[in-house]
Amino acid sequence: MTVRIVTDSTSDLPIEQAKALGIEIVPLTVAFGDDAYLDNIEMDNAAFYQKLQGSKELPRTSQPAPARFQETFTRLIQEGATGILSVHLTSQLSGTYQSACTARDALPEDLRKIPIEIVDSKTTSVGMGYPVIKAAEEAQAGLGLEEIKAHLVDRLERTRIFAVLDTLEYVRRGGRIGGATAMLGNVLNIKPIISLKEGVVIPVERARTRGKAYARVAQILQELGPIEYLAIAESSEEVGQQLSEALKPVYSGDIAIWKLGAVLGTHTGPGTAAISVVTAK
């Protein structure tokens, strides 16, 4: 049995790693004014954050059209896939999941004989990327579609993600808080900690400095108990290294470093660092 794995660019998977595992990445689009770019194809993470800092307007992100998913599903089936698992960022932040569902349901009848399971990860970035990697490894090992999906959903349910923002400015631009609140927060150097719950962005708390915010994240990590996997998603090497150092007193295991992509970065801004934690069973 040949199961193929599909995800979208918000998984922030390194391109070479995805290719090695046979993972298909369908890109979202990031637009600065009239200039549109395929996420992590026509614009990588470093270029995105550089352009974001210089942009007066918040960029727009848009999901892939159903036709792009349909082309991907069709090609994988023609290549011999006997099942497809398609995993996407939280439907609370994007229409990507729905776009994939629409594409599957519109496939010709002969192609619909091949099972395609589409999963709303209820998370994004490294919170989605690691479960997708494990699913691809299981597919290469010959596991069946339903078993791979069950393992993926289990890992997603055990995944927590926490992000520390460097500024409230980008949250203000996105319309989530008022200008006065953002101005006061920036004057006081407040560093918000946010998380995702059931796919929705929620505030955790606010710290007065970046160092205190990272220390609080370390404390949260310690309270979660045994860890299967831990990763940092960084918008820059500087903040990634600072967060890594803050975690060392409470966690002695390996810490994977990922690059934080454009979709989450649009709403959190440069200077953001996040951790994704998969708790042990």
Side-chain angles (χ1 to χ4, degrees):
M1 185 174 189
T2 304
V3 175
R4 296 297 302 271
I5 309 299
V6 178
T7 189
D8 58 70
S9 59
T10 70
S11 62
D12 292 340
L13 285 173
I15 299 298
E16 292 306 314
Q17 186 175 18
K19 286 181 179 178
L21 290 169
I23 299 170
E24 291 287 326
I25 301 177
V26 179
L28 276 75
T29 300
V30 182
F32 288 85
D34 295 329
D35 299 324
Y37 307 87
L38 292 177
D39 181 26
N40 212 25
I41 294 178
E42 297 172 331
M43 176 179 286
D44 63 19
N45 291 3
F48 166 75
Y49 284 106
Q50 184 177 8
K51 197 169 183 66
L52 180 64
Q53 286 179 297
S55 176
K56 294 181 180 179
E57 295 183 4
L58 199 68
R60 305 182 311 280
T61 58
S62 56
Q63 71 262 24
R68 187 176 286 271
F69 279 112
Q70 202 166 44
E71 182 278 327
T72 300
F73 295 154
T74 299
R75 175 168 47 81
L76 293 180
I77 292 170
Q78 291 172 343
E79 290 174 359
T82 56
I84 296 172
L85 181 61
S86 197
V87 189
H88 302 291
L89 84 157
T90 169
S91 60
Q92 298 290 334
L93 296 179
S94 169
T96 301
Y97 166 77
Q98 186 57 53
S99 187
C101 291
T102 299
R104 176 195 58 191
D105 297 343
L107 285 171
E109 186 175 351
D110 60 324
L111 298 183
R112 290 204 300 272
K113 296 176 183 178
I114 301 299
I116 301 176
E117 295 284 350
I118 302 177
V119 176
D120 178 353
S121 73
K122 299 182 181 179
T123 186
T124 188
S125 188
V126 66
M128 177 170 68
Y130 171 70
V132 166
I133 285 174
K134 300 303 291 184
E137 291 175 349
E138 291 179 352
Q140 288 190 338
L143 273 67
L145 177 60
E146 291 304 319
E147 189 175 6
I148 296 171
K149 179 185 175 183
H151 293 169
L152 171 97
V153 170
D154 172 64
R155 286 193 178 93
L156 288 170
E157 288 176 346
R158 291 186 283 117
T159 297
R160 302 286 301 278
I161 188 167
F162 300 92
V164 176
L165 281 57
D166 194 53
T167 173
L168 290 168
E169 177 61 21
Y170 294 87
V171 182
R172 180 196 67 79
R173 288 194 197 182
R176 295 188 180 273
I177 62 172
T181 301
M183 183 180 297
L184 179 60
N186 291 336
V187 168
L188 296 176
N189 200 30
I190 286 173
K191 309 298 181 186
I193 304 172
I194 62 172
S195 184
L196 285 169
K197 184 176 182 180
E198 292 297 312
V200 178
V201 177
I202 60 168
V204 177
E205 56 188 78
R206 296 179 180 184
R208 289 296 297 271
T209 66
R210 183 189 292 174
K212 288 182 179 179
Y214 291 168
R216 177 61 182 129
V217 170
Q219 184 181 11
I220 293 171
L221 173 65
Q222 193 173 27
E223 294 168 354
L224 291 176
I227 303 299
E228 174 184 322
Y229 179 83
L230 173 64
I232 289 173
E234 60 180 24
S235 59
S236 71
E237 290 185 9
E238 177 188 1
V239 294
Q241 182 63 31
Q242 289 174 356
L243 181 51
S244 178
E245 290 297 321
L247 298 180
K248 286 181 179 179
V250 302
Y251 184 75
S252 59
D254 293 334
I255 301 176
I257 304 296
W258 294 53
K259 298 299 181 183
L260 187 67
V263 174
L264 193 56
T266 291
H267 301 287
T268 59
T272 298
I275 66 165
S276 176
V277 184
V278 181
T279 57
K281 288 186 178 181

